Amino acid sequence: MDERATIGSDRDWFLAGMRGIFSLPAMILMLSFVGFSAFTAQSGIPVEQVVFMTGIVWALPAKVILVSSILGGANVLAAFIAVTLSSIRLMPMVAALVPEIRTEKTPTWLLLLLSHFVAITAWVFAMERIQTVPREHRIAFFAGFGITLVLTNMLLVAVVYQFVAEFPPIVSGCLFFLTPVYFLASIWNSARHPVIYVALAAGLVAGPVFYWLVPQFDILIAGLGGGTLAWLAERQWRNRSEARP
């Protein structure tokens, strides 16, 4: 048996996950939420609704879409569909993370509960560190980080909301942009297969092009196009490898 498996309890690893709130990914996300607070304050969204939104919707882009839908006068069904579609991008992250943290005894309801905390920051943090955690304690580790991250940002939004209403739009936009920039850099740095570089490069090139051609569907088309190109490239490489003597 791996000696690491006998070190610490679930409580110890939960606390270790909580300490992740002082990591670079968590700090960047908190700065992004300061920008989100300024955006909602300037939009006239009440602070209690913003705090509730932070905990329930969680993923930052989905919250921006929700606020934009509210400001645009969209009905509840349209806003629900828009937020749901934006969150489908998180499904591959959940699919990649769950096999890394579950054990044979992990109940499905617990995995479903913890999937709520899977967003860019939590996913990057977990995937970079989870291999150093004994498997039977990975659920506790991820829960400690995810729950602490959500609660901390809810508290942060409640505190800074009154002070950021006068932020210049450029400042709020820059704070928003920190999270996707960090996510992109982390994925590029941690990539273990050339196909990931192909997908990222294709998406980065296609994004501005499709924004000019079809701005309503630019991210969707760029994502599908980049992913499909990467899949085809990976398939071609695999076929060549199998064909070699």
Side-chain angles (χ1 to χ4, degrees), residues 47-72:
V47 62
E48 61 273 11
Q49 294 184 19
V50 179
V51 173
F52 179 77
M53 189 187 308
T54 299
I56 296 300
V57 179
W58 184 225
L60 193 56
K63 283 192 283 290
V64 174
I65 291 173
L66 179 57
V67 173
S68 300
S69 299
I70 294 172
L71 297 178

PDB file of all heavy atoms in Angstrom, residues 47-72:
ATOM      1  N   VAL A  47     -27.352  44.023  -4.237  1.00  0.00           N
ATOM      2  CA  VAL A  47     -26.223  43.260  -3.728  1.00  0.00           C
ATOM      3  C   VAL A  47     -26.630  41.876  -3.267  1.00  0.00           C
ATOM      4  O   VAL A  47     -25.891  40.901  -3.462  1.00  0.00           O
ATOM      5  CB  VAL A  47     -25.530  44.034  -2.584  1.00  0.00           C
ATOM      6  CG1 VAL A  47     -26.472  44.242  -1.404  1.00  0.00           C
ATOM      7  CG2 VAL A  47     -24.263  43.299  -2.147  1.00  0.00           C
ATOM      8  N   GLU A  48     -27.831  41.741  -2.659  1.00  0.00           N
ATOM      9  CA  GLU A  48     -28.239  40.421  -2.192  1.00  0.00           C
ATOM     10  C   GLU A  48     -28.447  39.455  -3.353  1.00  0.00           C
ATOM     11  O   GLU A  48     -28.160  38.256  -3.250  1.00  0.00           O
ATOM     12  CB  GLU A  48     -29.509  40.506  -1.341  1.00  0.00           C
ATOM     13  CG  GLU A  48     -30.727  41.057  -2.036  1.00  0.00           C
ATOM     14  CD  GLU A  48     -30.823  42.581  -1.979  1.00  0.00           C
ATOM     15  OE1 GLU A  48     -29.818  43.219  -1.570  1.00  0.00           O
ATOM     16  OE2 GLU A  48     -31.897  43.106  -2.328  1.00  0.00           O
ATOM     17  N   GLN A  49     -28.912  39.975  -4.488  1.00  0.00           N
ATOM     18  CA  GLN A  49     -29.074  39.130  -5.662  1.00  0.00           C
ATOM     19  C   GLN A  49     -27.718  38.745  -6.253  1.00  0.00           C
ATOM     20  O   GLN A  49     -27.543  37.620  -6.745  1.00  0.00           O
ATOM     21  CB  GLN A  49     -29.919  39.843  -6.708  1.00  0.00           C
ATOM     22  CG  GLN A  49     -31.370  40.072  -6.289  1.00  0.00           C
ATOM     23  CD  GLN A  49     -32.202  40.707  -7.391  1.00  0.00           C
ATOM     24  OE1 GLN A  49     -31.846  40.677  -8.556  1.00  0.00           O
ATOM     25  NE2 GLN A  49     -33.327  41.309  -7.011  1.00  0.00           N
ATOM     26  N   VAL A  50     -26.763  39.655  -6.187  1.00  0.00           N
ATOM     27  CA  VAL A  50     -25.425  39.373  -6.713  1.00  0.00           C
ATOM     28  C   VAL A  50     -24.743  38.300  -5.865  1.00  0.00           C
ATOM     29  O   VAL A  50     -24.103  37.379  -6.400  1.00  0.00           O
ATOM     30  CB  VAL A  50     -24.569  40.656  -6.742  1.00  0.00           C
ATOM     31  CG1 VAL A  50     -23.173  40.343  -7.280  1.00  0.00           C
ATOM     32  CG2 VAL A  50     -25.236  41.721  -7.599  1.00  0.00           C
ATOM     33  N   VAL A  51     -24.888  38.400  -4.552  1.00  0.00           N
ATOM     34  CA  VAL A  51     -24.301  37.392  -3.664  1.00  0.00           C
ATOM     35  C   VAL A  51     -24.939  36.023  -3.915  1.00  0.00           C
ATOM     36  O   VAL A  51     -24.245  35.003  -4.009  1.00  0.00           O
ATOM     37  CB  VAL A  51     -24.475  37.798  -2.190  1.00  0.00           C
ATOM     38  CG1 VAL A  51     -24.016  36.675  -1.262  1.00  0.00           C
ATOM     39  CG2 VAL A  51     -23.685  39.071  -1.896  1.00  0.00           C
ATOM     40  N   PHE A  52     -26.263  35.999  -4.040  1.00  0.00           N
ATOM     41  CA  PHE A  52     -26.966  34.741  -4.312  1.00  0.00           C
ATOM     42  C   PHE A  52     -26.532  34.168  -5.659  1.00  0.00           C
ATOM     43  O   PHE A  52     -26.275  32.961  -5.791  1.00  0.00           O
ATOM     44  CB  PHE A  52     -28.475  34.993  -4.310  1.00  0.00           C
ATOM     45  CG  PHE A  52     -29.296  33.767  -4.613  1.00  0.00           C
ATOM     46  CD1 PHE A  52     -29.504  32.800  -3.650  1.00  0.00           C
ATOM     47  CD2 PHE A  52     -29.860  33.592  -5.869  1.00  0.00           C
ATOM     48  CE1 PHE A  52     -30.263  31.674  -3.933  1.00  0.00           C
ATOM     49  CE2 PHE A  52     -30.610  32.466  -6.165  1.00  0.00           C
ATOM     50  CZ  PHE A  52     -30.811  31.507  -5.186  1.00  0.00           C
ATOM     51  N   MET A  53     -26.403  35.028  -6.638  1.00  0.00           N
ATOM     52  CA  MET A  53     -25.982  34.612  -7.977  1.00  0.00           C
ATOM     53  C   MET A  53     -24.576  34.025  -7.948  1.00  0.00           C
ATOM     54  O   MET A  53     -24.287  33.024  -8.614  1.00  0.00           O
ATOM     55  CB  MET A  53     -26.024  35.830  -8.906  1.00  0.00           C
ATOM     56  CG  MET A  53     -25.814  35.553 -10.378  1.00  0.00           C
ATOM     57  SD  MET A  53     -25.703  37.114 -11.311  1.00  0.00           S
ATOM     58  CE  MET A  53     -27.193  37.963 -10.783  1.00  0.00           C
ATOM     59  N   THR A  54     -23.703  34.614  -7.143  1.00  0.00           N
ATOM     60  CA  THR A  54     -22.329  34.135  -7.037  1.00  0.00           C
ATOM     61  C   THR A  54     -22.281  32.699  -6.529  1.00  0.00           C
ATOM     62  O   THR A  54     -21.505  31.879  -7.010  1.00  0.00           O
ATOM     63  CB  THR A  54     -21.522  35.051  -6.101  1.00  0.00           C
ATOM     64  OG1 THR A  54     -21.504  36.371  -6.632  1.00  0.00           O
ATOM     65  CG2 THR A  54     -20.087  34.546  -5.952  1.00  0.00           C
ATOM     66  N   GLY A  55     -23.134  32.374  -5.564  1.00  0.00           N
ATOM     67  CA  GLY A  55     -23.127  31.036  -5.011  1.00  0.00           C
ATOM     68  C   GLY A  55     -23.855  30.008  -5.849  1.00  0.00           C
ATOM     69  O   GLY A  55     -23.443  28.846  -5.922  1.00  0.00           O
ATOM     70  N   ILE A  56     -24.923  30.414  -6.518  1.00  0.00           N
ATOM     71  CA  ILE A  56     -25.779  29.457  -7.228  1.00  0.00           C
ATOM     72  C   ILE A  56     -25.325  29.228  -8.665  1.00  0.00           C
ATOM     73  O   ILE A  56     -25.257  28.091  -9.142  1.00  0.00           O
ATOM     74  CB  ILE A  56     -27.249  29.927  -7.204  1.00  0.00           C
ATOM     75  CG1 ILE A  56     -27.753  29.957  -5.764  1.00  0.00           C
ATOM     76  CG2 ILE A  56     -28.106  29.018  -8.054  1.00  0.00           C
ATOM     77  CD1 ILE A  56     -27.710  28.604  -5.063  1.00  0.00           C
ATOM     78  N   VAL A  57     -25.002  30.290  -9.388  1.00  0.00           N
ATOM     79  CA  VAL A  57     -24.604  30.143 -10.792  1.00  0.00           C
ATOM     80  C   VAL A  57     -23.122  29.788 -10.878  1.00  0.00           C
ATOM     81  O   VAL A  57     -22.704  28.955 -11.671  1.00  0.00           O
ATOM     82  CB  VAL A  57     -24.906  31.433 -11.585  1.00  0.00           C
ATOM     83  CG1 VAL A  57     -24.468  31.279 -13.037  1.00  0.00           C
ATOM     84  CG2 VAL A  57     -26.392  31.752 -11.511  1.00  0.00           C
ATOM     85  N   TRP A  58     -22.319  30.414 -10.063  1.00  0.00           N
ATOM     86  CA  TRP A  58     -20.903  30.176  -9.846  1.00  0.00           C
ATOM     87  C   TRP A  58     -20.006  30.547 -11.014  1.00  0.00           C
ATOM     88  O   TRP A  58     -19.232  31.478 -10.919  1.00  0.00           O
ATOM     89  CB  TRP A  58     -20.628  28.724  -9.414  1.00  0.00           C
ATOM     90  CG  TRP A  58     -19.175  28.484  -9.086  1.00  0.00           C
ATOM     91  CD1 TRP A  58     -18.400  27.427  -9.465  1.00  0.00           C
ATOM     92  CD2 TRP A  58     -18.310  29.341  -8.344  1.00  0.00           C
ATOM     93  NE1 TRP A  58     -17.109  27.555  -9.004  1.00  0.00           N
ATOM     94  CE2 TRP A  58     -17.024  28.755  -8.306  1.00  0.00           C
ATOM     95  CE3 TRP A  58     -18.467  30.582  -7.721  1.00  0.00           C
ATOM     96  CZ2 TRP A  58     -15.936  29.322  -7.675  1.00  0.00           C
ATOM     97  CZ3 TRP A  58     -17.385  31.154  -7.084  1.00  0.00           C
ATOM     98  CH2 TRP A  58     -16.142  30.519  -7.057  1.00  0.00           C
ATOM     99  N   ALA A  59     -20.022  29.862 -12.139  1.00  0.00           N
ATOM    100  CA  ALA A  59     -19.093  30.182 -13.228  1.00  0.00           C
ATOM    101  C   ALA A  59     -19.270  31.639 -13.652  1.00  0.00           C
ATOM    102  O   ALA A  59     -20.379  32.080 -13.955  1.00  0.00           O
ATOM    103  CB  ALA A  59     -19.314  29.249 -14.410  1.00  0.00           C
ATOM    104  N   LEU A  60     -18.180  32.376 -13.676  1.00  0.00           N
ATOM    105  CA  LEU A  60     -18.242  33.817 -13.909  1.00  0.00           C
ATOM    106  C   LEU A  60     -18.844  34.202 -15.260  1.00  0.00           C
ATOM    107  O   LEU A  60     -19.692  35.094 -15.320  1.00  0.00           O
ATOM    108  CB  LEU A  60     -16.843  34.423 -13.754  1.00  0.00           C
ATOM    109  CG  LEU A  60     -16.753  35.939 -13.662  1.00  0.00           C
ATOM    110  CD1 LEU A  60     -17.616  36.479 -12.532  1.00  0.00           C
ATOM    111  CD2 LEU A  60     -15.299  36.378 -13.456  1.00  0.00           C
ATOM    112  N   PRO A  61     -18.459  33.564 -16.375  1.00  0.00           N
ATOM    113  CA  PRO A  61     -19.084  33.933 -17.653  1.00  0.00           C
ATOM    114  C   PRO A  61     -20.597  33.719 -17.657  1.00  0.00           C
ATOM    115  O   PRO A  61     -21.333  34.509 -18.253  1.00  0.00           O
ATOM    116  CB  PRO A  61     -18.389  33.002 -18.662  1.00  0.00           C
ATOM    117  CG  PRO A  61     -17.082  32.665 -18.040  1.00  0.00           C
ATOM    118  CD  PRO A  61     -17.363  32.578 -16.573  1.00  0.00           C
ATOM    119  N   ALA A  62     -21.065  32.664 -16.994  1.00  0.00           N
ATOM    120  CA  ALA A  62     -22.501  32.415 -16.931  1.00  0.00           C
ATOM    121  C   ALA A  62     -23.213  33.526 -16.178  1.00  0.00           C
ATOM    122  O   ALA A  62     -24.325  33.931 -16.540  1.00  0.00           O
ATOM    123  CB  ALA A  62     -22.782  31.072 -16.272  1.00  0.00           C
ATOM    124  N   LYS A  63     -22.578  34.059 -15.140  1.00  0.00           N
ATOM    125  CA  LYS A  63     -23.184  35.168 -14.388  1.00  0.00           C
ATOM    126  C   LYS A  63     -23.245  36.434 -15.232  1.00  0.00           C
ATOM    127  O   LYS A  63     -24.209  37.197 -15.155  1.00  0.00           O
ATOM    128  CB  LYS A  63     -22.399  35.413 -13.099  1.00  0.00           C
ATOM    129  CG  LYS A  63     -22.699  34.403 -12.021  1.00  0.00           C
ATOM    130  CD  LYS A  63     -22.132  34.836 -10.685  1.00  0.00           C
ATOM    131  CE  LYS A  63     -20.655  34.601 -10.633  1.00  0.00           C
ATOM    132  NZ  LYS A  63     -20.330  33.156 -10.583  1.00  0.00           N
ATOM    133  N   VAL A  64     -22.196  36.658 -16.011  1.00  0.00           N
ATOM    134  CA  VAL A  64     -22.198  37.831 -16.900  1.00  0.00           C
ATOM    135  C   VAL A  64     -23.332  37.713 -17.913  1.00  0.00           C
ATOM    136  O   VAL A  64     -24.040  38.693 -18.199  1.00  0.00           O
ATOM    137  CB  VAL A  64     -20.841  37.969 -17.607  1.00  0.00           C
ATOM    138  CG1 VAL A  64     -20.885  39.092 -18.640  1.00  0.00           C
ATOM    139  CG2 VAL A  64     -19.728  38.225 -16.591  1.00  0.00           C
ATOM    140  N   ILE A  65     -23.524  36.517 -18.452  1.00  0.00           N
ATOM    141  CA  ILE A  65     -24.618  36.288 -19.402  1.00  0.00           C
ATOM    142  C   ILE A  65     -25.961  36.522 -18.720  1.00  0.00           C
ATOM    143  O   ILE A  65     -26.872  37.128 -19.303  1.00  0.00           O
ATOM    144  CB  ILE A  65     -24.537  34.869 -19.978  1.00  0.00           C
ATOM    145  CG1 ILE A  65     -23.320  34.746 -20.901  1.00  0.00           C
ATOM    146  CG2 ILE A  65     -25.813  34.506 -20.739  1.00  0.00           C
ATOM    147  CD1 ILE A  65     -23.065  33.339 -21.389  1.00  0.00           C
ATOM    148  N   LEU A  66     -26.115  36.056 -17.488  1.00  0.00           N
ATOM    149  CA  LEU A  66     -27.363  36.237 -16.760  1.00  0.00           C
ATOM    150  C   LEU A  66     -27.657  37.711 -16.531  1.00  0.00           C
ATOM    151  O   LEU A  66     -28.787  38.181 -16.759  1.00  0.00           O
ATOM    152  CB  LEU A  66     -27.298  35.499 -15.424  1.00  0.00           C
ATOM    153  CG  LEU A  66     -28.539  35.613 -14.526  1.00  0.00           C
ATOM    154  CD1 LEU A  66     -29.790  35.125 -15.256  1.00  0.00           C
ATOM    155  CD2 LEU A  66     -28.331  34.838 -13.229  1.00  0.00           C
ATOM    156  N   VAL A  67     -26.655  38.462 -16.089  1.00  0.00           N
ATOM    157  CA  VAL A  67     -26.845  39.898 -15.868  1.00  0.00           C
ATOM    158  C   VAL A  67     -27.167  40.603 -17.183  1.00  0.00           C
ATOM    159  O   VAL A  67     -28.056  41.471 -17.242  1.00  0.00           O
ATOM    160  CB  VAL A  67     -25.589  40.513 -15.216  1.00  0.00           C
ATOM    161  CG1 VAL A  67     -25.718  42.038 -15.152  1.00  0.00           C
ATOM    162  CG2 VAL A  67     -25.388  39.947 -13.814  1.00  0.00           C
ATOM    163  N   SER A  68     -26.476  40.239 -18.245  1.00  0.00           N
ATOM    164  CA  SER A  68     -26.738  40.841 -19.554  1.00  0.00           C
ATOM    165  C   SER A  68     -28.155  40.531 -20.020  1.00  0.00           C
ATOM    166  O   SER A  68     -28.825  41.384 -20.619  1.00  0.00           O
ATOM    167  CB  SER A  68     -25.729  40.332 -20.590  1.00  0.00           C
ATOM    168  OG  SER A  68     -24.413  40.666 -20.218  1.00  0.00           O
ATOM    169  N   SER A  69     -28.633  39.319 -19.738  1.00  0.00           N
ATOM    170  CA  SER A  69     -30.001  38.946 -20.102  1.00  0.00           C
ATOM    171  C   SER A  69     -31.009  39.783 -19.329  1.00  0.00           C
ATOM    172  O   SER A  69     -32.018  40.224 -19.879  1.00  0.00           O
ATOM    173  CB  SER A  69     -30.235  37.455 -19.834  1.00  0.00           C
ATOM    174  OG  SER A  69     -29.366  36.653 -20.606  1.00  0.00           O
ATOM    175  N   ILE A  70     -30.723  40.004 -18.050  1.00  0.00           N
ATOM    176  CA  ILE A  70     -31.606  40.834 -17.227  1.00  0.00           C
ATOM    177  C   ILE A  70     -31.659  42.252 -17.767  1.00  0.00           C
ATOM    178  O   ILE A  70     -32.736  42.847 -17.921  1.00  0.00           O
ATOM    179  CB  ILE A  70     -31.129  40.828 -15.768  1.00  0.00           C
ATOM    180  CG1 ILE A  70     -31.281  39.426 -15.159  1.00  0.00           C
ATOM    181  CG2 ILE A  70     -31.912  41.839 -14.941  1.00  0.00           C
ATOM    182  CD1 ILE A  70     -30.657  39.284 -13.780  1.00  0.00           C
ATOM    183  N   LEU A  71     -30.490  42.798 -18.074  1.00  0.00           N
ATOM    184  CA  LEU A  71     -30.431  44.171 -18.575  1.00  0.00           C
ATOM    185  C   LEU A  71     -31.083  44.285 -19.942  1.00  0.00           C
ATOM    186  O   LEU A  71     -31.626  45.336 -20.290  1.00  0.00           O
ATOM    187  CB  LEU A  71     -28.976  44.638 -18.650  1.00  0.00           C
ATOM    188  CG  LEU A  71     -28.222  44.722 -17.319  1.00  0.00           C
ATOM    189  CD1 LEU A  71     -26.778  45.143 -17.554  1.00  0.00           C
ATOM    190  CD2 LEU A  71     -28.912  45.685 -16.370  1.00  0.00           C
ATOM    191  N   GLY A  72     -31.025  43.212 -20.728  1.00  0.00           N
ATOM    192  CA  GLY A  72     -31.615  43.233 -22.061  1.00  0.00           C
ATOM    193  C   GLY A  72     -33.106  42.962 -22.070  1.00  0.00           C
ATOM    194  O   GLY A  72     -33.723  42.975 -23.143  1.00  0.00           O
TER     195      GLY A  72
END
